[in-house]
Short mmCIF file of all heavy atoms in Angstrom, two decimals:
data_model
loop_
_atom_site.label_atom_id
_atom_site.label_comp_id
_atom_site.label_asym_id
_atom_site.label_seq_id
_atom_site.Cartn_x
_atom_site.Cartn_y
_atom_site.Cartn_z
N PRO A 264 -49.56 13.21 -23.90
CA PRO A 264 -50.95 13.57 -24.13
C PRO A 264 -51.49 12.84 -25.36
O PRO A 264 -50.72 12.44 -26.24
CB PRO A 264 -50.89 15.09 -24.39
CG PRO A 264 -49.46 15.43 -24.61
CD PRO A 264 -48.61 14.31 -24.13
N SER A 265 -52.81 12.67 -25.42
CA SER A 265 -53.36 11.93 -26.56
C SER A 265 -53.23 12.76 -27.85
O SER A 265 -53.26 12.20 -28.94
CB SER A 265 -54.80 11.52 -26.30
OG SER A 265 -55.56 12.67 -26.01
N THR A 266 -53.05 14.08 -27.72
CA THR A 266 -52.79 14.89 -28.91
C THR A 266 -51.55 15.75 -28.69
O THR A 266 -51.44 16.44 -27.66
CB THR A 266 -54.00 15.84 -29.19
OG1 THR A 266 -55.16 15.03 -29.33
CG2 THR A 266 -53.76 16.65 -30.46
N VAL A 267 -50.64 15.69 -29.65
CA VAL A 267 -49.43 16.52 -29.60
C VAL A 267 -49.42 17.39 -30.86
O VAL A 267 -50.22 17.16 -31.79
CB VAL A 267 -48.15 15.68 -29.51
CG1 VAL A 267 -48.19 14.75 -28.31
CG2 VAL A 267 -47.91 14.91 -30.80
N THR A 268 -48.52 18.37 -30.91
CA THR A 268 -48.45 19.27 -32.08
C THR A 268 -47.03 19.28 -32.62
O THR A 268 -46.08 19.37 -31.83
CB THR A 268 -48.86 20.69 -31.65
OG1 THR A 268 -50.16 20.63 -31.06
CG2 THR A 268 -48.90 21.63 -32.85
N VAL A 269 -46.92 19.20 -33.93
CA VAL A 269 -45.59 19.25 -34.57
C VAL A 269 -45.57 20.39 -35.58
O VAL A 269 -46.62 20.80 -36.09
CB VAL A 269 -45.23 17.94 -35.29
CG1 VAL A 269 -45.21 16.77 -34.30
CG2 VAL A 269 -46.18 17.65 -36.44
N PHE A 270 -44.39 20.91 -35.83
CA PHE A 270 -44.22 21.82 -36.96
C PHE A 270 -42.79 21.81 -37.44
O PHE A 270 -41.87 21.47 -36.71
CB PHE A 270 -44.67 23.25 -36.62
CG PHE A 270 -43.85 23.98 -35.59
CD1 PHE A 270 -42.71 24.67 -35.95
CD2 PHE A 270 -44.23 23.98 -34.25
CE1 PHE A 270 -41.95 25.36 -34.99
CE2 PHE A 270 -43.49 24.67 -33.29
CZ PHE A 270 -42.36 25.35 -33.67
N GLN A 271 -42.62 22.14 -38.71
CA GLN A 271 -41.29 22.36 -39.27
C GLN A 271 -41.39 23.61 -40.13
O GLN A 271 -42.11 23.62 -41.13
CB GLN A 271 -40.81 21.19 -40.11
CG GLN A 271 -39.53 21.53 -40.88
CD GLN A 271 -38.79 20.33 -41.44
OE1 GLN A 271 -39.01 19.20 -41.02
NE2 GLN A 271 -37.90 20.57 -42.38
N VAL A 272 -40.70 24.67 -39.71
CA VAL A 272 -40.69 25.88 -40.54
C VAL A 272 -39.25 26.17 -40.91
O VAL A 272 -38.32 25.92 -40.14
CB VAL A 272 -41.33 27.09 -39.84
CG1 VAL A 272 -42.78 26.82 -39.51
CG2 VAL A 272 -40.57 27.47 -38.60
N ALA A 273 -39.04 26.68 -42.12
CA ALA A 273 -37.70 26.90 -42.62
C ALA A 273 -37.52 28.38 -42.94
O ALA A 273 -38.44 29.03 -43.45
CB ALA A 273 -37.48 26.05 -43.86
N ARG A 274 -36.33 28.90 -42.63
CA ARG A 274 -36.03 30.30 -42.96
C ARG A 274 -34.62 30.31 -43.55
O ARG A 274 -33.69 29.78 -42.93
CB ARG A 274 -36.04 31.17 -41.70
CG ARG A 274 -37.38 31.20 -40.95
CD ARG A 274 -38.46 32.03 -41.66
NE ARG A 274 -39.70 32.09 -40.90
CZ ARG A 274 -40.76 31.29 -41.09
NH1 ARG A 274 -40.74 30.37 -42.03
NH2 ARG A 274 -41.85 31.42 -40.33
N THR A 275 -34.50 30.95 -44.71
CA THR A 275 -33.18 31.04 -45.33
C THR A 275 -32.46 32.29 -44.81
O THR A 275 -33.06 33.11 -44.11
CB THR A 275 -33.29 31.17 -46.86
OG1 THR A 275 -34.02 32.35 -47.12
CG2 THR A 275 -33.99 29.97 -47.47
N LEU A 276 -31.20 32.41 -45.19
CA LEU A 276 -30.43 33.59 -44.76
C LEU A 276 -31.15 34.88 -45.21
O LEU A 276 -31.18 35.86 -44.50
CB LEU A 276 -29.01 33.54 -45.31
CG LEU A 276 -28.12 32.42 -44.74
CD1 LEU A 276 -26.72 32.48 -45.33
CD2 LEU A 276 -28.06 32.46 -43.22
N GLU A 277 -31.70 34.82 -46.44
CA GLU A 277 -32.45 36.01 -46.94
C GLU A 277 -33.69 36.30 -46.09
O GLU A 277 -34.20 37.40 -46.10
CB GLU A 277 -32.89 35.79 -48.41
CG GLU A 277 -31.71 35.73 -49.37
CD GLU A 277 -31.85 34.58 -50.37
OE1 GLU A 277 -32.90 33.91 -50.41
OE2 GLU A 277 -30.87 34.34 -51.10
N GLU A 278 -34.17 35.26 -45.42
CA GLU A 278 -35.35 35.44 -44.54
C GLU A 278 -34.91 35.58 -43.08
O GLU A 278 -35.60 35.13 -42.18
CB GLU A 278 -36.30 34.25 -44.70
CG GLU A 278 -36.92 34.17 -46.09
CD GLU A 278 -37.49 32.79 -46.43
OE1 GLU A 278 -37.10 31.80 -45.79
OE2 GLU A 278 -38.30 32.72 -47.36
N ASN A 279 -33.77 36.14 -42.87
CA ASN A 279 -33.27 36.48 -41.54
C ASN A 279 -32.90 35.28 -40.67
O ASN A 279 -33.01 35.33 -39.43
CB ASN A 279 -34.30 37.33 -40.77
CG ASN A 279 -34.57 38.65 -41.47
OD1 ASN A 279 -33.77 39.10 -42.30
ND2 ASN A 279 -35.68 39.30 -41.14
N ALA A 280 -32.45 34.16 -41.29
CA ALA A 280 -32.12 32.98 -40.50
C ALA A 280 -31.12 33.28 -39.40
O ALA A 280 -31.25 32.78 -38.27
CB ALA A 280 -31.59 31.87 -41.42
N THR A 281 -30.11 34.14 -39.70
CA THR A 281 -29.08 34.41 -38.68
C THR A 281 -29.70 35.06 -37.45
O THR A 281 -29.42 34.65 -36.32
CB THR A 281 -27.96 35.30 -39.26
OG1 THR A 281 -27.49 34.71 -40.49
CG2 THR A 281 -26.80 35.44 -38.29
#
Side-chain angles (χ1 to χ4, degrees):
S265 57
T266 304
V267 304
T268 304
V269 299
F270 66 86
Q271 171 164 342
V272 299
R274 301 286 183 264
T275 60
L276 293 181
E277 293 135 7
E278 294 161 340
N279 298 341
T281 308

